[in-house]
Amino acid sequence: MIKKVTFSFLFFCLLEVLVVSCCEDEYNLYLTSINFTVEDNADFDITTIKHEDLQLNLFLTYETELTYLKKELSRLSNKAYATSCDETYIVRNKATQVEITSDATFQNIEAGNSLNELFYLNHNGALKTVDSILDYINQDTYYYGDFYQFVLANPINEDVSASFKISVSLENGEFIERSTVTTTITAE
C-alpha cells in the first residue's frame, strides 16, 4: 500500500513538473498607450527642423496578461524546476487603422486630414507606407518599448509651423491619440 501511494505521488509530481513547469506561458497583449514625439536628426533642437531632418517617433506600450487557464495551472507548480519555458503572445483588440494628421495646412492638405501619403515608416532602414505599421503593431511578438520612426517622403514646398497627431483605431472602437509639440519645419 505504501509503495502504491509513493509511486502515485512520484508519478503526479513528475507529471506536474513536466506538463505544467515546462509548458509555454501564453499571454494576451493589449496596446494600452502610445507616445508620439518629433525629432530633429541634425541637432536635436526641435523648435526649427529642416524637412530632411524631420522624424516622428512612435513608442508603443502593451499590457500583458497571463491567460486564465495558464494562471490556474501555474498555481499547481513552482516553475523553478523547468529547464526552459517559452512565452507566446497573442495581440487582442488589434489596431485597424493608423492616421497621421496636423493642426495646420501641410503640403496643401488641410489641417485634420490624413498625411499618411506624405510620410514613410522607416523601419530598420526600409521605407514602407504608414499603413504597414499595422503589421508591426499587431504582430504576436512582444518587445518592451516598441519604437517606430516616420520620415517625410518628399521635400516640402513651404515652411510650416505645426503639431502632428497620430490616431490608432482599435477593433473595439476605441482610439488612442497623441500629439507632438508644435515645431517649425523649413523647406530649405
Side-chain angles (χ1 to χ4, degrees):
M1 177 70 172
I2 293 176
K3 193 174 187 179
K4 287 183 181 180
V5 171
T6 304
F7 280 124
S8 295
F9 177 77
L10 290 174
F11 173 75
F12 285 109
C13 286
L14 180 63
L15 181 67
E16 187 175 332
V17 168
L18 293 176
V19 173
V20 177
S21 296
C22 293
C23 68
E24 63 182 41
D25 289 332
E26 184 175 287
Y27 292 90
N28 290 328
L29 280 179
Y30 300 94
L31 180 62
T32 55
S33 69
I34 59 176
N35 190 14
F36 195 51
T37 61
V38 64
E39 184 177 324
D40 183 345
N41 283 329
D43 60 14
F44 302 105
D45 175 15
I46 61 172
T47 54
T48 304
I49 304 173
K50 289 183 180 179
H51 69 87
E52 66 264 16
D53 297 326
L54 175 68
Q55 179 176 296
L56 301 176
N57 299 320
L58 175 65
F59 300 89
L60 305 174
T61 304
Y62 293 91
E63 178 182 316
T64 59
E65 177 184 80
L66 192 59
T67 58
Y68 182 75
L69 177 61
K70 298 293 183 176
K71 283 183 189 175
E72 293 302 315
L73 290 175
S74 67
R75 290 185 193 164
L76 300 175
S77 173
N78 182 349
K79 294 186 180 184
Y81 300 112
T83 55
S84 66
C85 290
D86 293 329
E87 294 178 344
T88 301
Y89 295 95
I90 300 170
V91 175
R92 304 293 183 192
N93 197 18
K94 296 185 180 221
T96 57
Q97 183 181 16
V98 173
E99 185 174 71
I100 298 174
T101 59
S102 173
D103 66 350
T105 299
F106 190 80
Q107 289 294 91
N108 300 320
I109 297 176
E110 293 294 320
N113 291 327
S114 177
L115 300 177
N116 286 9
E117 66 187 40
L118 301 180
F119 285 91
Y120 282 129
L121 169 65
N122 182 7
H123 188 66
N124 296 330
L127 297 178
K128 301 177 178 186
T129 63
V130 170
D131 293 334
S132 65
I133 193 153
L134 291 172
D135 297 334
Y136 298 107
I137 293 174
N138 294 328
Q139 68 184 348
D140 291 332
T141 308
Y142 176 63
Y143 300 107
Y144 177 77
D146 284 352
F147 166 70
Y148 300 97
Q149 305 168 336
F150 298 98
V151 295
L152 280 171
N154 297 302
I156 62 174
N157 51 19
E158 63 184 357
D159 296 357
V160 64
S161 184
S163 170
F164 296 96
K165 180 170 79 173
I166 193 162
S167 301
V168 180
S169 303
L170 303 176
E171 283 178 329
N172 67 354
E174 291 180 7
F175 290 92
I176 302 175
E177 297 180 331
R178 293 294 180 270
S179 296
T180 67
V181 297
T182 301
T183 189
T184 301
I185 301 106
T186 61
E188 291 292 321

